[in-house]
Amino acid sequence: MKEEESTVMWAADEEKLLDGHYQKHLDMVNSPPHYNQAGIECIDAIQAATDEGYEYYLQGNIMKYVWRYRYKNGIEDLKKAQWYLNKLIEEKNRG
């Protein structure tokens, strides 16, 4: 499978007909299921717990994903960095 094919994801609730069966595909960049427990998104819990440190948390994750993208998950890591950058921009626009 080509890299660009492996990183294409659909929304977590979107179903796609594959091999004659409907299958759900997870969006591992925008809504990975392991970051949602009991209806609470991990990012929201981190924001509530870190208060003023939230921006630093976002900045650290941007740096982490840009740093490792060549060695680990390629484009998926760049998309994760972009996700955190978008969150940081939202946060700065609010302030």
Side-chain angles (χ1 to χ4, degrees):
M1 181 180 292
K2 294 180 195 171
E3 183 175 345
E4 60 268 8
E5 290 175 348
S6 67
T7 58
V8 172
M9 301 285 179
W10 297 287
D13 61 350
E14 184 176 343
E15 292 183 351
K16 187 110 176 148
L17 184 62
L18 296 173
D19 299 324
H21 302 285
Y22 280 100
Q23 299 179 3
K24 288 192 176 202
H25 291 276
L26 304 176
D27 184 340
M28 299 307 287
V29 173
N30 296 300
S31 188
H34 54 277
Y35 285 127
N36 185 312
Q37 298 299 318
I40 300 169
E41 286 287 336
C42 183
I43 193 72
D44 296 332
I46 290 169
Q47 182 178 19
T50 58
D51 195 43
E52 293 177 12
Y54 182 61
E55 288 182 20
Y56 298 112
Y57 168 78
L58 296 173
Q59 183 180 357
N61 276 306
I62 294 162
M63 293 171 66
K64 172 182 73 174
Y65 286 115
V66 169
W67 187 275
R68 75 179 205 182
Y69 86 95
R70 290 181 192 258
Y71 313 105
K72 192 163 183 189
N73 295 322
I75 292 172
E76 183 177 298
D77 277 350
L78 291 175
K79 289 180 179 181
K80 289 178 180 181
Q82 183 177 38
W83 188 90
Y84 281 102
L85 180 58
N86 290 340
K87 283 286 189 191
L88 182 56
I89 292 168
E90 286 175 21
E91 202 54 31
K92 296 306 287 181
N93 282 336
R94 257 189 267 197

